Every structure is written in C-alpha cells, then in structure tokens.
C-alpha cells in the first residue's frame, strides 16, 4: 500500500543511487534491484566496503561509510556528488528494554537510526538539489508505530526516525526532493536472524519500495502486518499491545 505524493515521481532508469548498509540484507537487495531497473550507478555504502559483493553488477561502486561518523559522511557526499537517489537503509537493533538495558546500547540505537540518518540527509540534500532535486527513501519499520517486548529501544529510535522522515518531507518540498518512508515487518535477512516469527521476502519488500518511489509515494506500507499496525493507530493502543504479547503477528 502506497500513499501518493502528486508533486514528484522518481525515474530509476539512469539515476545515480547511494544505498547505506548495502553489504547485506535489504541493502544488498536495494543495490541490485536498482541496477536491474536501469540505474546508471549505485554506490554501495558500508562500514567495510570490502564486504560488498559486486555480484556481476558493473555499476555497483563500494563506498566506505559509517553513518555515525560525521566526517566520513561529509567525505562520502563529496565523493558521490552525482547522487540523485538516496536510500537510508543502515540501521541497528540491540534488543533493548527501556528500563533494563545499558543506556549506552539505547544511545547507540538512536545514534544510528535517528542521528545517523539525519547526518546522511543533511550531507546529501545539497547534492540532490544541485542535481535537480531527487529522492530520499528512509527504511523505517512497523515498529515505528508499536512497542515490542525486549526491543523498545529500537521502537523508540524508529519512531524518532519516522518523525524525522515526516519533518524532512516538509523541509525538502521546496527543493523538489521526494521523501518516502518505507514501513515493513520482519523480513528474512540477517537483521531478523534472531526472530522466530513469520518473515517476509526481502526482495518483494524492495520491489514494493521502488515501485512506490517511481509512483511518487510519500509512504510505502510493504506488508499486511505493517498495514494492520497502521490501521490500529486510530484505536486503543492496549489492543495492539495485547495482540503483540499474544504473538498475533
């Protein structure tokens, strides 16, 4: 399910993209599907660029980037000055509870998921504008909208990232930049390796996201669980929390 934004659509064919966290999971799928759809170049950003597998895609350019390193983020924006499409995929979870976790772990989740995403956008927004506008896709989560036992530090950081996405959409509207939020439940990647519940197909999730930005969507809700959670926001939150505790996901 996508929410349209009539101001701008995205042309992937011929685009120059940068994907953070592109060495595995959803990031790897984003990088490859972008090239399959005709992107001219994809900067595959990762803390260890040597871990990026080109996989027979000549347009894939490994790029060193730790989104929590401000100097490194600014350096990456200088190197990748031709970017027209930014995919903020990098994220972390330390499976933290708000009352019991080491505060450093909670701060690390916020540092990456909120502050890291903001740092990348601040560095690349002028790049996108100089290249005629562009698109920013922020990979959020159904957990932007709901709490979860043992993972509420991640929930708080993703809720903050959702608010960040909404704010950026407003602030970048006059720069002809589309800002899209992608909400998804668990998908079958390394990121969800410790989760025992049902997991979606990451390739299908990425296809939905790319279809969404090509259509000019402000928001892409990639699966039934995320759609259910969004619909539940208008209801008593205790009902959704009871479903989650009961494993109705």
């Amino acid at each position: 399910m996508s929410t349209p934004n009539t101001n701008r659509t995205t042309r992937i064919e011929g685009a120059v993209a940068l994907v953070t966290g592109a060495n595995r999971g959803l990031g790897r799928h984003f990088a490859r599907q972008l090239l399959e759809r005709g992107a001219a170049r994809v900067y595959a950003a990762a803390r260890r660029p040597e871990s990026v597998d080109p996989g027979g895609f000549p347009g894939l350019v490994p790029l060193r980037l730790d989104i929590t390193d401000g100097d490194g983020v600014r350096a990456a924006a200088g190197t990748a000055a031709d970017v027209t499409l930014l995919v903020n995929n990098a994220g972390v979870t330390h499976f933290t509870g708000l009352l019991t976790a080491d505060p450093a772990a909670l701060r690390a989740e916020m540092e990456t998921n909120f502050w890291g995403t903001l740092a990348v956008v601040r560095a690349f927004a002028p790049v996108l504008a100089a290249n005629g506008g562009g698109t920013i896709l922020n990979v959020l989560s159904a957990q932007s909208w709901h709490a979860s036992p043992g993972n509420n530090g991640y929930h708080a950081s993703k809720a903050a990232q959702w608010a960040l996405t909404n704010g950026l959409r407003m602030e970048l509207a006059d720069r002809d930049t589309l800002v899209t939020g992608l909400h998804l439940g668990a998908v079958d990647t390394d990121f969800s390796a410790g989760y025992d519940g049902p997991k979606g197909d990451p390739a299908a999730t990425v296809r939905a996201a790319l279809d969404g930005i090509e259509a000019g969507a402000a928001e892409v809700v990639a699966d039934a669980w995320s759609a259910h959670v969004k619909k539940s926001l208008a209801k008593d939150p205790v009902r959704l929390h009871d479903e989650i505790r009961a494993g109705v996901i």
Side-chain angles (χ1 to χ4, degrees):
M1 180 178 69
S2 300
T3 302
N5 179 337
T6 57
N7 294 326
R8 182 183 179 88
T9 59
T10 299
R11 182 178 175 86
I12 292 176
E13 186 175 2
V16 177
L18 184 144
V19 181
T20 65
N23 58 321
R24 61 180 186 153
L26 279 181
R28 182 183 295 153
H29 283 279
F30 270 114
R32 294 186 177 184
Q33 286 194 33
L34 284 164
L35 289 168
E36 289 168 352
R37 291 186 184 220
R41 180 179 304 106
V42 174
Y43 293 100
R47 291 183 177 185
R48 296 186 300 108
E50 66 275 9
S51 66
V52 174
D53 177 12
F57 291 92
L60 197 67
V61 181
L63 178 68
R64 185 178 304 280
L65 178 59
D66 176 348
I67 69 171
T68 66
D69 174 7
D71 290 340
V73 169
R74 289 184 287 273
T79 298
D82 51 350
V83 164
T84 60
L85 168 58
L86 171 64
V87 180
N88 286 309
N89 166 72
V92 298
T93 180
H94 295 301
F95 300 101
T96 51
L98 297 174
L99 296 177
T100 58
D102 182 344
L106 293 167
R107 291 191 183 97
E109 290 173 319
M110 194 66 75
E111 187 67 32
T112 297
N113 299 337
F114 177 83
W115 290 109
T117 299
L118 177 57
V120 173
V121 172
R122 290 180 66 137
F124 277 92
V127 172
L128 296 175
N131 292 329
T135 298
I136 298 170
L137 175 67
N138 287 344
V139 178
L140 304 174
S141 170
Q143 283 194 252
S144 306
W145 295 326
H146 74 81
S148 177
N151 207 22
N152 282 326
Y154 179 73
H155 160 53
S157 69
K158 283 296 182 177
Q161 192 184 29
W162 176 42
L164 169 67
T165 301
N166 293 334
L168 291 170
R169 184 180 301 113
M170 180 180 293
E171 293 188 21
L172 291 172
D174 61 354
R175 300 193 198 183
D176 199 25
T177 297
L178 171 68
V179 179
T180 302
L182 169 64
H183 293 272
L184 62 146
V187 293
D188 193 10
T189 65
D190 293 347
F191 191 86
S192 299
Y195 174 65
D196 293 331
K199 301 176 188 180
D201 177 5
T205 297
V206 169
R207 281 195 297 273
L210 298 183
D211 287 347
I213 62 171
E214 285 192 311
E219 184 176 83
V220 177
V221 180
D223 50 57
W225 169 242
S226 300
H228 172 69
V229 174
K230 183 178 183 182
K231 185 177 180 180
S232 298
L233 292 177
K235 302 176 182 177
D236 183 346
V238 174
R239 292 177 58 186
L240 179 61
H241 295 166
D242 287 344
E243 288 182 6
I244 292 167
R245 292 189 187 98
V248 183
I249 56 176

